[in-house]
Structures are given as structure tokens and as C-alpha cells.
Amino acid sequence: MEQTDNGAVTNHIQGNVPDGDVSPDNPLMRALSPEEQALLQILWEYFVRSSADVNDLGWPFWFYVEKTFSRQYPNGPEAKDVLESLPSIPRPPDAQPTAAYSLLWYQNQAIQEPTATDPVGLSIAGLAQLGKTNRVSADTANVLVGVMRSLAEYEDQQEPQPHVVTNSQVNLAEYLSWFSKATREKSFVVSGRLISELLSREFVRVNAYWSGGQATASLYGASLKDLLTVADASDYLDLVVARSLAAELPRWHDSPLPLVQTLDYLAYVFAADPAFGRRLIAAPDLQSAASLAATANSAAEFESHLNGIWNLIDGFQLPECSEEVLKARFGGDAAKGSLNYLDCWLTANLDADGFDRVERALQVIRSVRKIRVSHAHSRHETRAAAIRAQRQLGLPDMIHDWGTAFELVKARLAGAFDVIRHETQSRPRSEST
């Protein structure tokens, strides 16, 4: 990034699109139904054709999206129901009504269903979802994250003044050069209006707007520093989930029992459930089992005990799940991990409300895994993911009190497993079971 004479920033982002796939652990990246995919595809096709819109009218109205969808599915479901079913996560509370962050956004999302004249657009999460099967969409999501990171770098480089709050109006034209030029890989161009509207709707909001044929970002009082370490869409969406969960800290579920007893109770409930029908836990070794009740007085003990707990989780005795389901939901070589098998069983055996409640619990457990992995692999990407996971759990970025941190990790795990126990124990049963 370099500063030009007129204060604009030139961002060399072309040809430098990261290859990172979005983690299947992220709740925004769950497998979509064909109808959900179709709804996103309508917006993507409009996005690709937008260069032909000589009037530059921005994202299409809901009327257009709804009618196009109904022609593809004349016998249902309704587009608004599909829109509501898309994965989403809550934003931090605000004084005004705040819409959840989802794969799509619309004009009055915070207060009502879309009306016929509400503009509807894709988010970075929606582009990343499409990117599972569409390389150009994945590139688009990654480039947008690069634009946001570059704005964070620009903001970070501003010199503080004792009695002045920097009011930076940044012309986005040079930031958006990837979108304004057709290439062999990307044969279309995109209006800065669509990009500025999308950025202004992101979870980490960029105050971008379109006026007089120009896209501008206002960094007045902005704080984009969390984006400085975000490499691609995968990193960004992990950050989004971390912020969402951290905002809900007062709503953490606490187990009435310590971790070892919570897991023992959960194992009893699973063993008594006809659809599960086996003992969940088979301790791989006594040291791993002892980690459930251990205390940590140093970083080394924290790491050792966390490894022991994860050895136990990794050895869960779980019903089989078909490879097709695992690949569709999680993909990759890690699809057969114990948490994915547990997720698979819970998805198949809980109703929608019950699974919604355990999904956050599973995310907590996966966050602990990311912290554990970071101690074994010191790559920047792994450490950045661990920091976001620590924020999700309410841990500081830099841990100094290892004893307190380990007790908090055990408490978070106990709460998460207790939610799973409760939903499994109270799930509706058919008469045959």
C-alpha cells in the first residue's frame, strides 16, 4: 500500500488473492439446501451482469429476487421462508434494532420482512458460500476482505493528534481496481456502488457510500484494527463468529457440575438413548482422564492438560455417519473427526430448535480445539485463529494466568456438553423408540 499525493491509497491487490478455504466449522458455512443455494445464485448472477446496468441502480429489489425464485420453484417453498432459513449469527447489541449477519442482507432487515422495493444483496459470507463451488465468487470474497484490511492499515497509519479526531474520507476507486477491470479469470466488472453497499452492510461495518458516481469510505472515528491480521474470507468469518459469541458472554451456559461429572452424565444419557446406544467415553490413558480434574500452573501444564482433554474428546465412541453427509457438511480430510460425527448424530436426531441450541455449544468446543492446535503448530494463521477462539471463550489474547485460563476452558466445555446433554435428554422420541 502506498500513499499518493492527493491522499488516496493505492492497493496492490490484483493477482494476490489468497487460496484459503472457509472453515466448515464456521456456522455461517453450514451446508445449504438447493433452494438456499438458488436464492444466493440469483444475487450472484445479478452481480456478474451488473456491468450491463447503464443506470447503475445498485442491488436488485426483493420483488425481482422473489419473482425469479418463484419461477425456479413454482410449487414452493416461498422465497421469504428460504431467506429466513439461511444461517446467521447475531451482531453485538446496539441502541437501535440490529439485524443478524447472514449470507444476504436487505434494506430494512432489522425491523421487518423484506418489502417489494427493498434492495437485497450478498454479504462476504454469501460470496464465500458460493465460493465452495465457484472459484470467482471465492476470489471476490477474498478480495473484499483485502480491501477492508487495507482500509484498516490506512486507519492504523494515521498519526494521532491531541485535540483532533482524524476525519478520513477515502476514495475507494483505487482499492476497487480488481472489480473495475475484466481479466481472463474474471470476465466482468462491477460497479463501485454495489461494493460500497455491500461493505456498509458487513458485520465489521465500513462506512462506505456511493455519491456522484464515486465510492467513498469515511473512517471518521472508525476502529478496524481487528482486520489487520485477517488474511482472507476464512479468517474474516472466523473473526465475525468470535465477535458475535463474545458479545453474548453474559449468556454463557454454566453446567451445575464440573467437567468430569458433566461428561459422565452426558455419557449416561447417550448410553440410555436407543438411537445412540453406546458408552460415549473410552479414556485413551489415565493421564488424559486425569486432565479433566487437573489444575494448571504454567503454560506447559495448560498445554499438557488441554492435550489430555482433547485426547478424550477425540476418542468419543460415536455412531457412524455416511461419508456423503460428512463431505457435504464438512468436506476435506478432517471430516471424520469426532466432533463432526457428534454434529452429524445431533443433526439427525434433534429437532430444528434443539439443534439451534447445541450448534453454539459445538462452536464453543471447536474453539477449544483451535486453541489446542495453536500450541502444536506455530504458523501465523493457526495463532490468529487461536486468538479469535480465545476471544470467543472470554480469554485474553495474551494469557498470563494459566491456572485461571484453564479453569475457564473447563467451565466453557462443561457448559457446552451440558447443553448437548439437556437437548439429547429432552428430545422428542417416536413411539417406536
Side-chain angles (χ1 to χ4, degrees):
M1 185 172 67
E2 62 189 24
Q3 185 87 20
T4 61
D5 293 339
N6 64 359
V9 176
T10 301
N11 181 265
H12 304 290
I13 201 166
Q14 307 94 298
N16 188 30
V17 181
D19 292 327
D21 293 328
V22 176
S23 166
D25 295 347
N26 193 303
L28 291 166
M29 291 297 108
R30 69 154 171 81
L32 300 182
S33 69
E35 294 85 359
E36 290 170 327
Q37 287 275 9
L39 196 65
L40 297 185
Q41 189 65 26
I42 291 169
L43 272 300
W44 171 252
E45 290 172 1
Y46 177 85
F47 186 81
V48 169
R49 297 197 313 269
S50 64
S51 60
D53 181 6
V54 295
N55 294 317
D56 200 12
L57 298 175
W59 290 93
F61 287 166
W62 174 246
F63 179 84
Y64 166 82
V65 176
E66 188 175 36
K67 289 295 182 184
T68 304
F69 182 85
S70 67
R71 289 181 177 179
Q72 295 180 26
Y73 292 91
N75 298 319
E78 292 189 30
K80 66 180 180 62
D81 294 330
V82 177
L83 177 67
E84 188 176 347
S85 74
L86 291 172
S88 64
I89 57 171
R91 297 178 189 264
D94 196 270
Q96 300 297 322
T98 306
Y101 179 70
S102 183
L103 311 187
L104 299 181
W105 54 265
Y106 55 89
Q107 188 68 36
N108 295 307
Q109 191 176 359
I111 56 176
Q112 62 184 32
E113 292 182 350
T115 64
T117 56
D118 273 339
V120 184
L122 289 163
S123 67
I124 289 175
L127 290 165
Q129 269 280 8
L130 290 166
K132 291 178 179 180
T133 56
N134 179 341
R135 176 64 199 185
V136 180
S137 180
D139 290 349
T140 303
N142 288 331
V143 170
L144 283 167
V145 171
V147 170
M148 296 169 73
R149 184 181 62 250
S150 295
L151 289 172
E153 291 168 352
Y154 175 81
E155 176 204 1
D156 188 58
Q157 291 170 5
Q158 300 305 298
E159 288 297 324
Q161 301 294 328
H163 300 105
V164 177
V165 177
T166 305
N167 186 358
S168 301
Q169 303 292 325
V170 181
N171 186 338
L172 291 179
E174 292 177 276
Y175 285 92
L176 303 183
S177 58
W178 187 85
F179 297 97
S180 62
K181 299 175 183 176
T183 64
R184 186 177 64 179
E185 295 78 17
K186 179 184 69 65
S187 59
F188 57 91
V189 299
V190 181
S191 162
R193 176 169 182 168
L194 269 71
I195 301 302
S196 59
E197 288 177 348
L198 186 157
L199 292 176
S200 69
R201 291 285 181 160
E202 271 307 304
F203 188 95
V204 180
R205 280 196 180 93
V206 174
N207 186 18
Y209 56 93
W210 179 258
S211 178
Q214 178 176 299
T216 302
S218 174
L219 301 183
Y220 177 81
S223 181
L224 304 175
K225 64 180 180 180
D226 283 351
L227 298 174
L228 292 171
T229 59
V230 169
D232 54 25
S234 178
D235 274 359
Y236 173 70
L237 294 176
D238 278 350
L239 171 66
V240 164
V241 172
R243 279 196 175 186
S244 176
L245 291 180
E248 295 186 2
L249 279 177
R251 295 167 54 189
W252 285 113
H253 176 77
D254 292 320
S255 173
L257 301 171
L259 178 59
V260 62
Q261 290 176 301
T262 300
L263 282 172
D264 193 46
Y265 191 3
L266 175 64
Y268 171 82
V269 168
F270 275 143
D273 190 303
F276 197 93
R278 66 193 68 197
R279 188 73 180 173
L280 176 69
I281 297 171
D285 54 76
L286 290 176
Q287 186 172 347
S288 295
S291 297
L292 293 170
T295 58
N297 296 309
S298 64
E301 289 185 353
F302 179 94
E303 179 181 348
S304 174
H305 296 330
L306 202 55
N307 280 335
I309 290 174
W310 205 261
N311 287 342
L312 201 73
I313 295 171
D314 231 14
F316 279 175
Q317 308 297 298
L318 294 156
E320 286 294 315
C321 183
S322 74
E323 288 199 20
E324 292 78 12
V325 171
L326 286 170
K327 285 185 178 180
R329 187 160 172 80
F330 304 107
D333 295 334
K336 293 187 178 181
S338 61
L339 284 184
N340 292 346
Y341 274 98
L342 179 58
D343 185 307
C344 183
W345 187 87
L346 291 166
T347 303
N349 288 278
L350 298 182
D351 61 20
D353 289 340
F355 186 75
D356 283 347
R357 287 186 284 270
V358 302
E359 192 167 29
R360 183 171 182 270
L362 289 168
Q363 184 66 30
V364 168
I365 301 168
R366 294 184 195 278
S367 294
V368 173
R369 184 186 64 185
K370 290 177 183 176
I371 296 171
R372 180 246 181 182
V373 168
S374 73
H375 289 275
H377 306 283
S378 58
R379 297 193 306 270
H380 167 76
E381 297 84 358
T382 306
R383 182 60 191 143
I387 289 175
R388 290 190 290 275
Q390 287 167 204
R391 292 172 182 169
Q392 286 178 328
L393 299 176
L395 290 167
D397 291 0
M398 296 296 292
I399 299 173
H400 299 288
D401 186 346
W402 294 98
T404 299
F406 187 60
E407 293 306 311
L408 182 60
V409 166
K410 289 194 294 182
R412 294 287 185 252
L413 284 172
F417 283 120
D418 193 57
V419 169
I420 294 171
R421 186 274 311 163
H422 178 270
E423 295 302 327
T424 301
Q425 197 169 24
S426 58
R427 73 184 182 89
R429 312 292 173 91
S430 66
E431 293 183 6
S432 60
T433 61

